[in-house]
Amino acid sequence: RWQKIFMIPLWSKMAVFWNKMFLTIIVLLIVLFLDAVREVRKYSAVHVNEKDANVNTNAFDHIQMKLFRSQRNLYLSGFSLFLWLVLRRTVTLLTQLAKGMASHAALETQVNDATEAAKKYMAENERLQEALSEKGISKKKESAEATDEKLKKEVEHLKAELQKTSNALHKANNEVTAVKKQSEGLKREYDHLMKEYERLQVGCSGSLYEHGV
């Protein structure tokens, strides 16, 4: 069902636009992250200087508030950038998994068709042999032997094709298994990052409460 939905031509037309938008968001997040790093370094230095100079409380609190906001922006932009990259990787792995499953189904269909064709040729070969055993005409027998030889060659060819298709099916199964393992590892990594993000949110909320912001 999902494969039919994603095979709609509209998605392929929008793919170029979405790729450009993804790159634009990545660039924007990188700029915000670098700006947040600059602000943190700036207000950290000012915070130390003002603390050493023993200035009035209002100015010190204002600098401390600026420092906290710059740190908050650093965390938000950094985690947004990382989670956006994780999301992109997840979508790529899911796409590869869907393609592997589709190729796996196609290979299974080819194997079944080749097996049915081989059974059909074998049945025809047996039928011809029975007909030849009932008729003792040498001329027809020679012609039937030629036909039998031809059928044997076709059967050998089909067996070779069946072996080739089976190898391709085995390879596709290995690829699907590898993609599933990558998806599971990425899921575990994503869960770990979400736990870290929640822990940092709790820390940021505690800092906000502590500084009265």
Side-chain angles (χ1 to χ4, degrees):
R1 185 181 304 170
W2 285 107
Q3 185 177 1
K4 291 180 181 179
I5 293 175
F6 286 113
M7 289 300 290
I8 298 175
L10 177 64
W11 301 119
S12 60
K13 294 179 181 179
M14 296 177 64
V16 178
F17 169 76
W18 286 115
N19 288 330
K20 291 181 180 179
M21 189 182 74
F22 171 76
L23 293 176
T24 302
I25 293 176
I26 287 295
V27 172
L28 180 61
L29 289 175
I30 291 174
V31 171
L32 292 175
F33 179 75
L34 294 177
D35 182 68
V37 172
R38 183 183 63 83
E39 291 292 324
V40 168
R41 295 180 63 182
K42 173 183 175 182
Y43 287 110
S44 294
V46 174
H47 175 75
V48 173
N49 294 333
E50 294 294 339
K51 186 176 181 180
D52 293 338
N54 293 324
V55 296
N56 58 41
T57 306
N58 292 331
F60 182 77
D61 290 340
H62 180 73
I63 294 173
Q64 196 172 19
M65 180 184 66
K66 291 286 187 180
L67 177 61
F68 172 75
R69 287 181 178 176
S70 61
Q71 290 174 345
R72 179 195 61 189
N73 294 335
L74 176 64
Y75 294 144
L76 291 177
S77 59
F79 276 103
S80 298
L81 177 62
F82 186 76
L83 292 177
W84 189 253
L85 293 173
V86 170
L87 178 63
R88 176 69 173 183
R89 181 59 180 167
T90 304
V91 172
T92 302
L93 290 176
L94 289 175
T95 304
Q96 293 177 357
L97 180 60
K99 290 180 179 179
M101 293 176 67
S103 62
H104 181 269
L107 287 174
E108 284 185 348
T109 303
Q110 291 180 0
V111 169
N112 293 331
D113 292 340
T115 304
E116 292 296 330
K119 290 180 179 179
K120 181 180 178 181
Y121 281 118
M122 292 297 292
E124 291 181 357
N125 186 22
E126 291 177 358
R127 183 175 58 81
L128 288 173
Q129 287 180 353
E130 291 176 358
L132 286 174
S133 64
E134 294 176 357
K135 298 179 181 179
I137 302 175
S138 60
K139 188 175 180 179
K140 289 185 178 181
K141 187 175 181 179
E142 292 176 358
S143 176
E145 287 178 354
T147 304
D148 183 57
E149 186 66 25
K150 182 179 179 181
L151 288 174
K152 286 182 178 179
K153 290 181 180 179
E154 291 180 355
V155 170
E156 291 295 331
H157 177 69
L158 287 173
K159 286 182 179 179
E161 290 293 329
L162 181 61
Q163 182 65 30
K164 186 186 297 184
T165 307
S166 298
N167 293 334
L169 178 61
H170 181 67
K171 182 179 179 182
N173 285 328
N174 292 335
E175 291 178 353
V176 169
T177 303
V179 171
K180 286 182 178 178
K181 290 181 179 179
Q182 290 180 358
S183 299
E184 292 174 356
L186 187 59
K187 182 179 179 181
R188 289 193 297 269
E189 183 179 355
Y190 180 78
D191 293 336
H192 176 69
L193 289 173
M194 289 302 298
K195 290 180 180 178
E196 290 293 329
Y197 181 69
E198 291 175 357
R199 185 178 62 82
L200 287 173
Q201 276 189 331
V202 172
C204 289
S205 299
S207 299
L208 281 171
Y209 179 77
E210 181 180 356
H211 294 94
V213 179

